[in-house]
Amino acid sequence: MVSVPNVKLNSGKIIPAVGLGVWKTPQNLASQIVPKALDAGYRHVDSAAIYKNEEEVSEAIASWLKKNPSVKREDIFYTSKVFDSDHGYEKTKKAIELSLEKAKSIGYIDLLLVHSPQSDYEKRHGTWMALQEAVESGKVKSIGVSNYGVKHLKELLAYPDLKIKPALNQIELHPWLTRSELVDFLQKEGIAIEAYSPLGNGKKVNDPALEPFAKKYNKTNAQILIAWSLARGFIVLPKTVTESRLLPNLESAEVKLSEEDVKKLDALDEHFVTCWDPIEYPLDSEKKEEKKD
Ligand SMILES: NC(=O)c1ccc[n+]([C@@H]2O[C@H](COP(=O)([O-])OP(=O)(O)OC[C@H]3O[C@@H](n4cnc5c(N)ncnc54)[C@H](OP(=O)(O)O)[C@@H]3O)[C@@H](O)[C@H]2O)c1
């Protein structure tokens, strides 16, 4: 078995540092690839309501656990996310119920994230209150955010009725997008960092800048990128629907890049965003400023 490090979240829960991403993984493929990933040694899957595969992912985990009784439910980490259109207290409560219904085969959700900050203060606040209640109910073990910038995090941390700090922030990160200010802020706040699109959504896997590192460590470009995330202390979420890529991607956990090489890779930063960029989404006060101009 590949030795994958664990990270202890501020919620006290343990998360495996490599998770399988399932964005754009269609339902039928999710049912096939998740058991293969668990066979390969993955113990963490990252889904979301908007990915429309929560049920298939959960059921695949549940039936795999039945066939592998030596592995317990608590050994597997399952994440989902509440999408922007479900922001606000009431809507989020319903969205959580729906996500829990889709995950009923595995009993609970390990981590539920606010998918992005794209709404307004009142809705973001209501969403966080509903998430806090979900933790109190025991059906959701940890809560966090995704695509939150420093300003969104500061807003959340200042809620007068904040009871639970985000366990992590899931953001796009790779050597071409290192977001150093946000990473520093999260580290100071004790909020774990989860790197999505670690291969630049596949667009950076063949980048020639990776060749010297791939050669030096005798690893693939993809392995160098996943290893970079781990060396930076991030939890990392490579996505694949290709069975033959599952194990090599996971084995990146055993690739130890030198500090000097991590710095050389950091230097590739050019703020290359492959996905969306809600990290810049304006706060209400900024929207008012914009209107004045
Ligand atoms: N919170 C958010 O807003 C957000 C946004 C984006 C992503 N995410 C999460 O992060 C996960 C990963 O991000 P991502 O899906 O954007 O992309 P990624 O993991 O950076 O890249 C995935 C792409 O790389 C290919 N690939 C995977 N392993 C490879 C390998 N060893 N060699 C060559 N190509 C390889 C995949 O192809 P095949 O699948 O065909 O093998 C796919 O096209 C998502 O699935 C999701 O869970 C979250």
PDB file of all heavy atoms in Angstrom, residues 20-23 46-47 51 81 115 146-147 170 195-202 205 220 222 237-242 245 249 274-276, ligand 1:
ATOM      1  N   LEU A  20      -9.117  11.779  -4.338  1.00  0.00           N
ATOM      2  CA  LEU A  20      -9.493  11.694  -5.757  1.00  0.00           C
ATOM      3  C   LEU A  20     -10.542  12.763  -6.054  1.00  0.00           C
ATOM      4  O   LEU A  20     -11.604  12.786  -5.430  1.00  0.00           O
ATOM      5  CB  LEU A  20     -10.082  10.303  -6.065  1.00  0.00           C
ATOM      6  CG  LEU A  20     -10.544  10.126  -7.522  1.00  0.00           C
ATOM      7  CD1 LEU A  20      -9.337  10.025  -8.468  1.00  0.00           C
ATOM      8  CD2 LEU A  20     -11.443   8.900  -7.669  1.00  0.00           C
ATOM      9  N   GLY A  21     -10.240  13.640  -7.003  1.00  0.00           N
ATOM     10  CA  GLY A  21     -11.224  14.620  -7.454  1.00  0.00           C
ATOM     11  C   GLY A  21     -12.191  13.974  -8.437  1.00  0.00           C
ATOM     12  O   GLY A  21     -11.779  13.143  -9.249  1.00  0.00           O
ATOM     13  N   VAL A  22     -13.463  14.358  -8.353  1.00  0.00           N
ATOM     14  CA  VAL A  22     -14.444  13.763  -9.281  1.00  0.00           C
ATOM     15  C   VAL A  22     -15.279  14.826 -10.005  1.00  0.00           C
ATOM     16  O   VAL A  22     -16.380  14.557 -10.450  1.00  0.00           O
ATOM     17  CB  VAL A  22     -15.353  12.702  -8.593  1.00  0.00           C
ATOM     18  CG1 VAL A  22     -14.561  11.481  -8.198  1.00  0.00           C
ATOM     19  CG2 VAL A  22     -16.092  13.288  -7.395  1.00  0.00           C
ATOM     20  N   TRP A  23     -14.719  16.032 -10.132  1.00  0.00           N
ATOM     21  CA  TRP A  23     -15.379  17.056 -10.940  1.00  0.00           C
ATOM     22  C   TRP A  23     -15.352  16.591 -12.394  1.00  0.00           C
ATOM     23  O   TRP A  23     -14.318  16.096 -12.859  1.00  0.00           O
ATOM     24  CB  TRP A  23     -14.641  18.393 -10.795  1.00  0.00           C
ATOM     25  CG  TRP A  23     -15.173  19.491 -11.652  1.00  0.00           C
ATOM     26  CD1 TRP A  23     -16.481  19.758 -11.932  1.00  0.00           C
ATOM     27  CD2 TRP A  23     -14.411  20.481 -12.361  1.00  0.00           C
ATOM     28  NE1 TRP A  23     -16.583  20.860 -12.757  1.00  0.00           N
ATOM     29  CE2 TRP A  23     -15.319  21.321 -13.028  1.00  0.00           C
ATOM     30  CE3 TRP A  23     -13.043  20.747 -12.475  1.00  0.00           C
ATOM     31  CZ2 TRP A  23     -14.912  22.402 -13.814  1.00  0.00           C
ATOM     32  CZ3 TRP A  23     -12.629  21.822 -13.250  1.00  0.00           C
ATOM     33  CH2 TRP A  23     -13.556  22.640 -13.911  1.00  0.00           C
ATOM     34  N   ASP A  46     -13.314  13.663  -3.319  1.00  0.00           N
ATOM     35  CA  ASP A  46     -13.821  15.041  -3.280  1.00  0.00           C
ATOM     36  C   ASP A  46     -14.929  15.236  -4.314  1.00  0.00           C
ATOM     37  O   ASP A  46     -14.673  15.304  -5.508  1.00  0.00           O
ATOM     38  CB  ASP A  46     -12.666  16.010  -3.586  1.00  0.00           C
ATOM     39  CG  ASP A  46     -13.135  17.451  -3.532  1.00  0.00           C
ATOM     40  OD1 ASP A  46     -13.275  17.969  -2.413  1.00  0.00           O
ATOM     41  OD2 ASP A  46     -13.380  18.050  -4.598  1.00  0.00           O
ATOM     42  N   SER A  47     -16.168  15.331  -3.818  1.00  0.00           N
ATOM     43  CA  SER A  47     -17.313  15.551  -4.705  1.00  0.00           C
ATOM     44  C   SER A  47     -17.944  16.903  -4.371  1.00  0.00           C
ATOM     45  O   SER A  47     -17.373  17.719  -3.628  1.00  0.00           O
ATOM     46  CB  SER A  47     -18.311  14.400  -4.534  1.00  0.00           C
ATOM     47  OG  SER A  47     -19.394  14.532  -5.441  1.00  0.00           O
ATOM     48  N   TYR A  51     -21.396  18.635  -8.950  1.00  0.00           N
ATOM     49  CA  TYR A  51     -20.783  17.603  -9.793  1.00  0.00           C
ATOM     50  C   TYR A  51     -21.809  16.525 -10.196  1.00  0.00           C
ATOM     51  O   TYR A  51     -21.537  15.703 -11.058  1.00  0.00           O
ATOM     52  CB  TYR A  51     -19.587  16.917  -9.102  1.00  0.00           C
ATOM     53  CG  TYR A  51     -18.454  17.816  -8.673  1.00  0.00           C
ATOM     54  CD1 TYR A  51     -17.421  17.317  -7.883  1.00  0.00           C
ATOM     55  CD2 TYR A  51     -18.394  19.148  -9.050  1.00  0.00           C
ATOM     56  CE1 TYR A  51     -16.370  18.122  -7.475  1.00  0.00           C
ATOM     57  CE2 TYR A  51     -17.351  19.969  -8.628  1.00  0.00           C
ATOM     58  CZ  TYR A  51     -16.351  19.458  -7.839  1.00  0.00           C
ATOM     59  OH  TYR A  51     -15.312  20.255  -7.415  1.00  0.00           O
ATOM     60  N   LYS A  81     -19.944  19.684  -1.336  1.00  0.00           N
ATOM     61  CA  LYS A  81     -19.939  21.157  -1.282  1.00  0.00           C
ATOM     62  C   LYS A  81     -21.330  21.703  -1.587  1.00  0.00           C
ATOM     63  O   LYS A  81     -22.059  21.127  -2.399  1.00  0.00           O
ATOM     64  CB  LYS A  81     -18.952  21.729  -2.325  1.00  0.00           C
ATOM     65  CG  LYS A  81     -17.581  21.102  -2.290  1.00  0.00           C
ATOM     66  CD  LYS A  81     -16.603  21.726  -3.274  1.00  0.00           C
ATOM     67  CE  LYS A  81     -15.344  20.881  -3.392  1.00  0.00           C
ATOM     68  NZ  LYS A  81     -15.387  19.827  -4.403  1.00  0.00           N
ATOM     69  N   HIS A 115     -18.991  26.154  -1.572  1.00  0.00           N
ATOM     70  CA  HIS A 115     -18.232  25.958  -2.817  1.00  0.00           C
ATOM     71  C   HIS A 115     -17.507  27.224  -3.281  1.00  0.00           C
ATOM     72  O   HIS A 115     -16.432  27.153  -3.872  1.00  0.00           O
ATOM     73  CB  HIS A 115     -19.177  25.449  -3.915  1.00  0.00           C
ATOM     74  CG  HIS A 115     -18.496  24.637  -4.960  1.00  0.00           C
ATOM     75  ND1 HIS A 115     -19.025  23.488  -5.485  1.00  0.00           N
ATOM     76  CD2 HIS A 115     -17.304  24.793  -5.589  1.00  0.00           C
ATOM     77  CE1 HIS A 115     -18.192  22.987  -6.384  1.00  0.00           C
ATOM     78  NE2 HIS A 115     -17.138  23.766  -6.468  1.00  0.00           N
ATOM     79  N   SER A 146     -14.380  27.030   0.168  1.00  0.00           N
ATOM     80  CA  SER A 146     -13.618  26.820  -1.052  1.00  0.00           C
ATOM     81  C   SER A 146     -13.639  28.128  -1.836  1.00  0.00           C
ATOM     82  O   SER A 146     -14.650  28.844  -1.823  1.00  0.00           O
ATOM     83  CB  SER A 146     -14.252  25.697  -1.874  1.00  0.00           C
ATOM     84  OG  SER A 146     -13.555  25.515  -3.080  1.00  0.00           O
ATOM     85  N   ASN A 147     -12.546  28.423  -2.483  1.00  0.00           N
ATOM     86  CA  ASN A 147     -12.454  29.638  -3.303  1.00  0.00           C
ATOM     87  C   ASN A 147     -12.639  30.911  -2.491  1.00  0.00           C
ATOM     88  O   ASN A 147     -13.072  31.926  -3.028  1.00  0.00           O
ATOM     89  CB  ASN A 147     -13.478  29.591  -4.445  1.00  0.00           C
ATOM     90  CG  ASN A 147     -13.219  28.466  -5.415  1.00  0.00           C
ATOM     91  OD1 ASN A 147     -12.162  28.410  -6.028  1.00  0.00           O
ATOM     92  ND2 ASN A 147     -14.163  27.536  -5.535  1.00  0.00           N
ATOM     93  N   GLN A 170     -10.428  25.155   0.182  1.00  0.00           N
ATOM     94  CA  GLN A 170     -10.041  24.417  -1.034  1.00  0.00           C
ATOM     95  C   GLN A 170      -9.912  25.424  -2.172  1.00  0.00           C
ATOM     96  O   GLN A 170     -10.885  26.087  -2.531  1.00  0.00           O
ATOM     97  CB  GLN A 170     -11.108  23.361  -1.359  1.00  0.00           C
ATOM     98  CG  GLN A 170     -10.715  22.519  -2.549  1.00  0.00           C
ATOM     99  CD  GLN A 170     -11.786  21.507  -2.964  1.00  0.00           C
ATOM    100  OE1 GLN A 170     -12.274  21.560  -4.092  1.00  0.00           O
ATOM    101  NE2 GLN A 170     -12.140  20.595  -2.079  1.00  0.00           N
ATOM    102  N   ALA A 195      -5.414  21.818  -2.234  1.00  0.00           N
ATOM    103  CA  ALA A 195      -5.081  22.275  -3.589  1.00  0.00           C
ATOM    104  C   ALA A 195      -5.941  21.561  -4.614  1.00  0.00           C
ATOM    105  O   ALA A 195      -5.846  20.350  -4.776  1.00  0.00           O
ATOM    106  CB  ALA A 195      -3.613  21.993  -3.877  1.00  0.00           C
ATOM    107  N   TYR A 196      -6.774  22.335  -5.300  1.00  0.00           N
ATOM    108  CA  TYR A 196      -7.509  21.720  -6.422  1.00  0.00           C
ATOM    109  C   TYR A 196      -6.828  22.066  -7.748  1.00  0.00           C
ATOM    110  O   TYR A 196      -5.977  22.957  -7.791  1.00  0.00           O
ATOM    111  CB  TYR A 196      -8.992  22.051  -6.380  1.00  0.00           C
ATOM    112  CG  TYR A 196      -9.496  23.414  -6.812  1.00  0.00           C
ATOM    113  CD1 TYR A 196      -9.366  23.886  -8.118  1.00  0.00           C
ATOM    114  CD2 TYR A 196     -10.204  24.208  -5.917  1.00  0.00           C
ATOM    115  CE1 TYR A 196      -9.889  25.103  -8.521  1.00  0.00           C
ATOM    116  CE2 TYR A 196     -10.731  25.441  -6.298  1.00  0.00           C
ATOM    117  CZ  TYR A 196     -10.561  25.885  -7.613  1.00  0.00           C
ATOM    118  OH  TYR A 196     -11.082  27.091  -8.003  1.00  0.00           O
ATOM    119  N   SER A 197      -7.222  21.319  -8.790  1.00  0.00           N
ATOM    120  CA  SER A 197      -6.559  21.426 -10.102  1.00  0.00           C
ATOM    121  C   SER A 197      -5.035  21.393  -9.966  1.00  0.00           C
ATOM    122  O   SER A 197      -4.319  22.247 -10.511  1.00  0.00           O
ATOM    123  CB  SER A 197      -7.009  22.696 -10.846  1.00  0.00           C
ATOM    124  OG  SER A 197      -8.400  22.709 -11.014  1.00  0.00           O
ATOM    125  N   PRO A 198      -4.504  20.384  -9.235  1.00  0.00           N
ATOM    126  CA  PRO A 198      -3.045  20.337  -9.021  1.00  0.00           C
ATOM    127  C   PRO A 198      -2.266  20.112 -10.309  1.00  0.00           C
ATOM    128  O   PRO A 198      -1.067  20.401 -10.358  1.00  0.00           O
ATOM    129  CB  PRO A 198      -2.870  19.147  -8.068  1.00  0.00           C
ATOM    130  CG  PRO A 198      -4.063  18.279  -8.314  1.00  0.00           C
ATOM    131  CD  PRO A 198      -5.196  19.231  -8.614  1.00  0.00           C
ATOM    132  N   LEU A 199      -2.950  19.607 -11.339  1.00  0.00           N
ATOM    133  CA  LEU A 199      -2.283  19.416 -12.638  1.00  0.00           C
ATOM    134  C   LEU A 199      -2.674  20.558 -13.580  1.00  0.00           C
ATOM    135  O   LEU A 199      -2.585  20.421 -14.805  1.00  0.00           O
ATOM    136  CB  LEU A 199      -2.687  18.058 -13.238  1.00  0.00           C
ATOM    137  CG  LEU A 199      -2.573  16.854 -12.297  1.00  0.00           C
ATOM    138  CD1 LEU A 199      -3.083  15.579 -12.977  1.00  0.00           C
ATOM    139  CD2 LEU A 199      -1.136  16.655 -11.828  1.00  0.00           C
ATOM    140  N   GLY A 200      -3.142  21.650 -12.985  1.00  0.00           N
ATOM    141  CA  GLY A 200      -3.600  22.772 -13.806  1.00  0.00           C
ATOM    142  C   GLY A 200      -4.739  22.328 -14.701  1.00  0.00           C
ATOM    143  O   GLY A 200      -4.797  22.703 -15.867  1.00  0.00           O
ATOM    144  N   ASN A 201      -5.629  21.503 -14.124  1.00  0.00           N
ATOM    145  CA  ASN A 201      -6.766  20.962 -14.875  1.00  0.00           C
ATOM    146  C   ASN A 201      -6.272  20.155 -16.098  1.00  0.00           C
ATOM    147  O   ASN A 201      -6.918  20.112 -17.137  1.00  0.00           O
ATOM    148  CB  ASN A 201      -7.709  22.122 -15.287  1.00  0.00           C
ATOM    149  CG  ASN A 201      -9.064  21.640 -15.771  1.00  0.00           C
ATOM    150  OD1 ASN A 201      -9.420  21.864 -16.919  1.00  0.00           O
ATOM    151  ND2 ASN A 201      -9.795  20.954 -14.925  1.00  0.00           N
ATOM    152  N   GLY A 202      -5.112  19.556 -15.947  1.00  0.00           N
ATOM    153  CA  GLY A 202      -4.533  18.747 -17.032  1.00  0.00           C
ATOM    154  C   GLY A 202      -3.730  19.590 -18.022  1.00  0.00           C
ATOM    155  O   GLY A 202      -2.929  19.070 -18.791  1.00  0.00           O
ATOM    156  N   VAL A 205       0.285  19.440 -17.406  1.00  0.00           N
ATOM    157  CA  VAL A 205       0.989  18.154 -17.259  1.00  0.00           C
ATOM    158  C   VAL A 205       2.162  18.026 -18.230  1.00  0.00           C
ATOM    159  O   VAL A 205       3.177  17.413 -17.902  1.00  0.00           O
ATOM    160  CB  VAL A 205      -0.006  16.976 -17.440  1.00  0.00           C
ATOM    161  CG1 VAL A 205       0.721  15.661 -17.457  1.00  0.00           C
ATOM    162  CG2 VAL A 205      -1.018  16.974 -16.327  1.00  0.00           C
ATOM    163  N   THR A 220       7.011  10.986 -13.294  1.00  0.00           N
ATOM    164  CA  THR A 220       6.278  11.672 -14.368  1.00  0.00           C
ATOM    165  C   THR A 220       6.036  13.128 -13.969  1.00  0.00           C
ATOM    166  O   THR A 220       6.112  13.491 -12.783  1.00  0.00           O
ATOM    167  CB  THR A 220       4.913  11.003 -14.622  1.00  0.00           C
ATOM    168  OG1 THR A 220       4.102  11.212 -13.460  1.00  0.00           O
ATOM    169  CG2 THR A 220       5.038   9.521 -14.903  1.00  0.00           C
ATOM    170  N   ALA A 222       3.210  14.594 -13.857  1.00  0.00           N
ATOM    171  CA  ALA A 222       2.051  14.638 -12.950  1.00  0.00           C
ATOM    172  C   ALA A 222       2.499  14.342 -11.522  1.00  0.00           C
ATOM    173  O   ALA A 222       2.064  15.004 -10.566  1.00  0.00           O
ATOM    174  CB  ALA A 222       0.984  13.637 -13.406  1.00  0.00           C
ATOM    175  N   LEU A 237      -5.770  17.180  -4.588  1.00  0.00           N
ATOM    176  CA  LEU A 237      -6.921  16.478  -5.177  1.00  0.00           C
ATOM    177  C   LEU A 237      -6.763  16.214  -6.672  1.00  0.00           C
ATOM    178  O   LEU A 237      -7.469  16.804  -7.493  1.00  0.00           O
ATOM    179  CB  LEU A 237      -8.184  17.341  -4.979  1.00  0.00           C
ATOM    180  CG  LEU A 237      -8.559  17.693  -3.549  1.00  0.00           C
ATOM    181  CD1 LEU A 237      -9.693  18.731  -3.539  1.00  0.00           C
ATOM    182  CD2 LEU A 237      -8.980  16.443  -2.789  1.00  0.00           C
ATOM    183  N   PRO A 238      -5.822  15.344  -7.071  1.00  0.00           N
ATOM    184  CA  PRO A 238      -5.752  15.044  -8.503  1.00  0.00           C
ATOM    185  C   PRO A 238      -6.999  14.297  -8.974  1.00  0.00           C
ATOM    186  O   PRO A 238      -7.503  13.427  -8.272  1.00  0.00           O
ATOM    187  CB  PRO A 238      -4.512  14.148  -8.613  1.00  0.00           C
ATOM    188  CG  PRO A 238      -4.343  13.547  -7.252  1.00  0.00           C
ATOM    189  CD  PRO A 238      -4.886  14.541  -6.274  1.00  0.00           C
ATOM    190  N   LYS A 239      -7.476  14.662 -10.152  1.00  0.00           N
ATOM    191  CA  LYS A 239      -8.653  13.985 -10.718  1.00  0.00           C
ATOM    192  C   LYS A 239      -8.208  13.104 -11.886  1.00  0.00           C
ATOM    193  O   LYS A 239      -7.381  13.521 -12.711  1.00  0.00           O
ATOM    194  CB  LYS A 239      -9.651  15.037 -11.224  1.00  0.00           C
ATOM    195  CG  LYS A 239     -10.842  14.467 -11.986  1.00  0.00           C
ATOM    196  CD  LYS A 239     -10.670  14.572 -13.498  1.00  0.00           C
ATOM    197  CE  LYS A 239     -11.774  13.895 -14.259  1.00  0.00           C
ATOM    198  NZ  LYS A 239     -11.522  13.880 -15.719  1.00  0.00           N
ATOM    199  N   THR A 240      -8.729  11.903 -11.941  1.00  0.00           N
ATOM    200  CA  THR A 240      -8.571  11.113 -13.161  1.00  0.00           C
ATOM    201  C   THR A 240      -9.739  10.132 -13.275  1.00  0.00           C
ATOM    202  O   THR A 240     -10.276   9.682 -12.276  1.00  0.00           O
ATOM    203  CB  THR A 240      -7.224  10.347 -13.212  1.00  0.00           C
ATOM    204  OG1 THR A 240      -7.130   9.699 -14.480  1.00  0.00           O
ATOM    205  CG2 THR A 240      -7.066   9.312 -12.106  1.00  0.00           C
ATOM    206  N   VAL A 241     -10.111   9.847 -14.527  1.00  0.00           N
ATOM    207  CA  VAL A 241     -11.065   8.756 -14.759  1.00  0.00           C
ATOM    208  C   VAL A 241     -10.334   7.602 -15.444  1.00  0.00           C
ATOM    209  O   VAL A 241     -10.953   6.657 -15.907  1.00  0.00           O
ATOM    210  CB  VAL A 241     -12.266   9.211 -15.635  1.00  0.00           C
ATOM    211  CG1 VAL A 241     -13.147  10.178 -14.868  1.00  0.00           C
ATOM    212  CG2 VAL A 241     -11.807   9.820 -16.959  1.00  0.00           C
ATOM    213  N   THR A 242      -8.997   7.720 -15.513  1.00  0.00           N
ATOM    214  CA  THR A 242      -8.185   6.712 -16.198  1.00  0.00           C
ATOM    215  C   THR A 242      -7.571   5.787 -15.149  1.00  0.00           C
ATOM    216  O   THR A 242      -6.738   6.216 -14.340  1.00  0.00           O
ATOM    217  CB  THR A 242      -7.053   7.417 -17.010  1.00  0.00           C
ATOM    218  OG1 THR A 242      -7.635   8.463 -17.777  1.00  0.00           O
ATOM    219  CG2 THR A 242      -6.319   6.445 -17.894  1.00  0.00           C
ATOM    220  N   ARG A 245      -3.886   5.706 -14.300  1.00  0.00           N
ATOM    221  CA  ARG A 245      -3.267   6.887 -13.683  1.00  0.00           C
ATOM    222  C   ARG A 245      -3.496   6.942 -12.164  1.00  0.00           C
ATOM    223  O   ARG A 245      -2.859   7.745 -11.476  1.00  0.00           O
ATOM    224  CB  ARG A 245      -3.836   8.159 -14.310  1.00  0.00           C
ATOM    225  CG  ARG A 245      -3.350   8.387 -15.718  1.00  0.00           C
ATOM    226  CD  ARG A 245      -4.051   9.558 -16.372  1.00  0.00           C
ATOM    227  NE  ARG A 245      -3.449   9.864 -17.660  1.00  0.00           N
ATOM    228  CZ  ARG A 245      -3.993  10.650 -18.571  1.00  0.00           C
ATOM    229  NH1 ARG A 245      -5.168  11.218 -18.337  1.00  0.00           N
ATOM    230  NH2 ARG A 245      -3.382  10.873 -19.721  1.00  0.00           N
ATOM    231  N   ASN A 249      -0.554   8.424  -9.631  1.00  0.00           N
ATOM    232  CA  ASN A 249      -0.873   9.714  -8.993  1.00  0.00           C
ATOM    233  C   ASN A 249      -0.776   9.599  -7.473  1.00  0.00           C
ATOM    234  O   ASN A 249      -0.227  10.469  -6.801  1.00  0.00           O
ATOM    235  CB  ASN A 249      -2.270  10.198  -9.401  1.00  0.00           C
ATOM    236  CG  ASN A 249      -2.313  10.750 -10.826  1.00  0.00           C
ATOM    237  OD1 ASN A 249      -1.291  10.804 -11.506  1.00  0.00           O
ATOM    238  ND2 ASN A 249      -3.490  11.151 -11.277  1.00  0.00           N
ATOM    239  N   THR A 274      -6.689  28.220 -14.021  1.00  0.00           N
ATOM    240  CA  THR A 274      -7.223  27.346 -15.086  1.00  0.00           C
ATOM    241  C   THR A 274      -8.735  27.193 -14.972  1.00  0.00           C
ATOM    242  O   THR A 274      -9.388  26.792 -15.912  1.00  0.00           O
ATOM    243  CB  THR A 274      -6.633  25.923 -15.017  1.00  0.00           C
ATOM    244  OG1 THR A 274      -7.111  25.279 -13.835  1.00  0.00           O
ATOM    245  CG2 THR A 274      -5.135  25.943 -15.022  1.00  0.00           C
ATOM    246  N   CYS A 275      -9.234  27.471 -13.786  1.00  0.00           N
ATOM    247  CA  CYS A 275     -10.636  27.149 -13.531  1.00  0.00           C
ATOM    248  C   CYS A 275     -11.426  28.454 -13.456  1.00  0.00           C
ATOM    249  O   CYS A 275     -11.414  29.241 -14.388  1.00  0.00           O
ATOM    250  CB  CYS A 275     -10.685  26.335 -12.232  1.00  0.00           C
ATOM    251  SG  CYS A 275     -12.231  25.530 -11.925  1.00  0.00           S
ATOM    252  N   TRP A 276     -12.112  28.714 -12.368  1.00  0.00           N
ATOM    253  CA  TRP A 276     -12.791  29.992 -12.165  1.00  0.00           C
ATOM    254  C   TRP A 276     -12.023  30.724 -11.075  1.00  0.00           C
ATOM    255  O   TRP A 276     -11.106  30.146 -10.469  1.00  0.00           O
ATOM    256  CB  TRP A 276     -14.261  29.780 -11.791  1.00  0.00           C
ATOM    257  CG  TRP A 276     -14.517  28.867 -10.612  1.00  0.00           C
ATOM    258  CD1 TRP A 276     -13.646  27.950 -10.066  1.00  0.00           C
ATOM    259  CD2 TRP A 276     -15.708  28.778  -9.843  1.00  0.00           C
ATOM    260  NE1 TRP A 276     -14.242  27.302  -9.028  1.00  0.00           N
ATOM    261  CE2 TRP A 276     -15.508  27.778  -8.855  1.00  0.00           C
ATOM    262  CE3 TRP A 276     -16.939  29.432  -9.873  1.00  0.00           C
ATOM    263  CZ2 TRP A 276     -16.486  27.430  -7.919  1.00  0.00           C
ATOM    264  CZ3 TRP A 276     -17.901  29.071  -8.944  1.00  0.00           C
ATOM    265  CH2 TRP A 276     -17.683  28.079  -7.988  1.00  0.00           C
TER     266      TRP A 276
HETATM  267  N1  LIG B   1     -13.705  23.793  -5.336  1.00  0.00           N
HETATM  268  C1  LIG B   1     -13.631  24.063  -6.618  1.00  0.00           C
HETATM  269  O1  LIG B   1     -14.134  25.092  -7.086  1.00  0.00           O
HETATM  270  C2  LIG B   1     -12.912  23.116  -7.519  1.00  0.00           C
HETATM  271  C3  LIG B   1     -12.595  23.528  -8.828  1.00  0.00           C
HETATM  272  C4  LIG B   1     -11.874  22.637  -9.638  1.00  0.00           C
HETATM  273  C5  LIG B   1     -11.507  21.395  -9.140  1.00  0.00           C
HETATM  274  N2  LIG B   1     -11.862  21.022  -7.875  1.00  0.00           N
HETATM  275  C6  LIG B   1     -11.526  19.681  -7.342  1.00  0.00           C
HETATM  276  O2  LIG B   1     -10.184  19.339  -7.670  1.00  0.00           O
HETATM  277  C7  LIG B   1     -10.167  18.172  -8.485  1.00  0.00           C
HETATM  278  C8  LIG B   1      -9.016  18.208  -9.469  1.00  0.00           C
HETATM  279  O3  LIG B   1      -9.027  19.340 -10.286  1.00  0.00           O
HETATM  280  P1  LIG B   1      -9.299  19.266 -11.855  1.00  0.00           P
HETATM  281  O4  LIG B   1     -10.303  18.220 -12.106  1.00  0.00           O
HETATM  282  O5  LIG B   1      -9.555  20.632 -12.305  1.00  0.00           O
HETATM  283  O6  LIG B   1      -7.946  18.896 -12.537  1.00  0.00           O
HETATM  284  P2  LIG B   1      -6.518  18.210 -12.302  1.00  0.00           P
HETATM  285  O7  LIG B   1      -6.563  17.158 -11.286  1.00  0.00           O
HETATM  286  O8  LIG B   1      -5.550  19.318 -12.182  1.00  0.00           O
HETATM  287  O9  LIG B   1      -6.346  17.555 -13.748  1.00  0.00           O
HETATM  288  C9  LIG B   1      -7.219  16.587 -14.227  1.00  0.00           C
HETATM  289  C10 LIG B   1      -6.889  16.344 -15.687  1.00  0.00           C
HETATM  290  O10 LIG B   1      -5.571  15.789 -15.801  1.00  0.00           O
HETATM  291  C11 LIG B   1      -5.634  14.499 -16.390  1.00  0.00           C
HETATM  292  N3  LIG B   1      -4.716  13.640 -15.637  1.00  0.00           N
HETATM  293  C12 LIG B   1      -4.874  13.095 -14.417  1.00  0.00           C
HETATM  294  N4  LIG B   1      -3.810  12.368 -14.059  1.00  0.00           N
HETATM  295  C13 LIG B   1      -2.928  12.462 -15.085  1.00  0.00           C
HETATM  296  C14 LIG B   1      -1.644  11.914 -15.315  1.00  0.00           C
HETATM  297  N5  LIG B   1      -1.041  11.151 -14.406  1.00  0.00           N
HETATM  298  N6  LIG B   1      -1.020  12.200 -16.495  1.00  0.00           N
HETATM  299  C15 LIG B   1      -1.610  12.991 -17.417  1.00  0.00           C
HETATM  300  N7  LIG B   1      -2.842  13.537 -17.250  1.00  0.00           N
HETATM  301  C16 LIG B   1      -3.487  13.274 -16.092  1.00  0.00           C
HETATM  302  C17 LIG B   1      -7.072  14.045 -16.258  1.00  0.00           C
HETATM  303  O11 LIG B   1      -7.428  13.227 -17.349  1.00  0.00           O
HETATM  304  P3  LIG B   1      -8.292  11.870 -17.167  1.00  0.00           P
HETATM  305  O12 LIG B   1      -9.359  12.123 -16.141  1.00  0.00           O
HETATM  306  O13 LIG B   1      -8.840  11.668 -18.550  1.00  0.00           O
HETATM  307  O14 LIG B   1      -7.322  10.814 -16.768  1.00  0.00           O
HETATM  308  C18 LIG B   1      -7.817  15.370 -16.343  1.00  0.00           C
HETATM  309  O15 LIG B   1      -7.964  15.792 -17.689  1.00  0.00           O
HETATM  310  C19 LIG B   1     -11.559  18.171  -9.129  1.00  0.00           C
HETATM  311  O16 LIG B   1     -11.928  16.934  -9.671  1.00  0.00           O
HETATM  312  C20 LIG B   1     -12.397  18.604  -7.951  1.00  0.00           C
HETATM  313  O17 LIG B   1     -12.592  17.525  -7.055  1.00  0.00           O
HETATM  314  C21 LIG B   1     -12.544  21.879  -7.067  1.00  0.00           C
END
